[in-house]
Amino acid sequence: MDDRSGKQLGHPFTVNGMVVVSAKHKVSAAYRPSVGAYGLTPAAGKAFAGLKRAIEKAGLRLYVVSSYRSHAAQQALYASKLASMGRAYTQKYVAVPGTSEHQTGLAVDLRSPGGRGTSFDNSREWRWLRAHAQNYGFVLRYPDGLTKVTGIGFEPWHWRYVGVEQAKAIRALGANMTIEQYLRLA
């Protein structure tokens, strides 16, 4: 149970060593992880570099669209999407500031020459990720059909670093297993 409040929100809710940031598990603007390569934490950046080398070796290409995003940047993005896309779209696909995994430095949004955004799941790169991402510590964070569990609509572009051991354990339970289900938070 997440009973953090006040200054405690300067650190993310963590279960079994896994950071969880969502509408139910918020962080304050004070939370700022150390980020480096690819705009990810050092461990996530190193893992993503390995994933990127492997996918390129397979003759495919990935591009980072977004990774670390500060609380203020998330606030600006949310306001911009609300103005340009409307409330229904924004509530489905854009996390309220303080509830975005991008603030952790553990999430990365991707695209490929064959797909971007909602068409990313039609690309060869996405199929490769679905088969191999767990070997590099990444999981698809918002699978199709599980909005009631995650609070976010299907985002084929959003991948979350959880570490190889946890990613393989999550994937072993099914291709659409969520972090909330895995940690029994849902």
Side-chain angles (χ1 to χ4, degrees):
M1 183 167 153
D2 185 358
D3 57 1
R4 297 168 305 124
S5 63
K7 288 185 179 182
Q8 294 171 324
L9 294 175
H11 299 282
F13 182 62
T14 304
V15 178
N16 296 335
M18 190 182 304
V19 167
V20 180
V21 173
S22 68
K24 294 179 181 177
H25 309 287
K26 300 175 183 179
V27 290
S28 70
Y31 177 61
R32 293 188 177 127
S34 173
V35 294
Y38 302 104
L40 296 169
T41 65
K46 183 177 179 182
F48 185 75
L51 181 150
K52 195 161 174 17
R53 281 191 301 275
I55 202 165
E56 288 171 355
K57 189 174 181 182
L60 304 170
R61 298 182 83 186
L62 279 179
Y63 305 102
V64 174
V65 174
S66 181
S67 51
Y68 172 73
R69 202 179 296 139
S70 70
H71 191 277
Q74 186 68 26
Q75 191 167 18
L77 175 68
Y78 191 86
S80 171
K81 291 296 183 184
L82 193 58
S84 67
M85 303 298 285
R87 184 164 304 283
Y89 175 91
T90 303
Q91 288 179 332
K92 186 173 181 182
Y93 293 111
V94 183
V96 171
T99 69
S100 173
E101 286 194 324
H102 286 284
Q103 192 176 343
T104 68
L106 298 171
V108 63
D109 290 346
L110 302 170
R111 73 172 184 87
S112 70
R116 179 182 184 133
T118 56
S119 69
F120 184 56
D121 62 327
N122 295 320
S123 70
R124 295 182 319 150
E125 289 80 1
W126 191 80
R127 288 189 294 279
W128 187 95
L129 286 168
R130 289 296 271 169
H132 304 286
Q134 70 275 2
N135 298 327
Y136 301 90
F138 288 85
V139 295
L140 177 65
R141 181 61 178 98
Y142 304 115
D144 194 17
L146 291 164
T147 303
K148 287 184 179 181
V149 175
T150 64
I152 299 287
F154 175 45
E155 291 190 354
W157 61 86
H158 187 103
W159 294 79
R160 166 65 197 277
Y161 179 74
V162 295
V164 173
E165 184 179 334
Q166 299 270 31
K168 286 183 175 183
I170 291 168
R171 181 58 192 233
L173 296 172
N176 287 332
M177 177 62 56
T178 68
I179 288 172
E180 287 85 358
Q181 291 167 318
Y182 174 71
L183 295 174
R184 297 187 176 142
L185 297 173

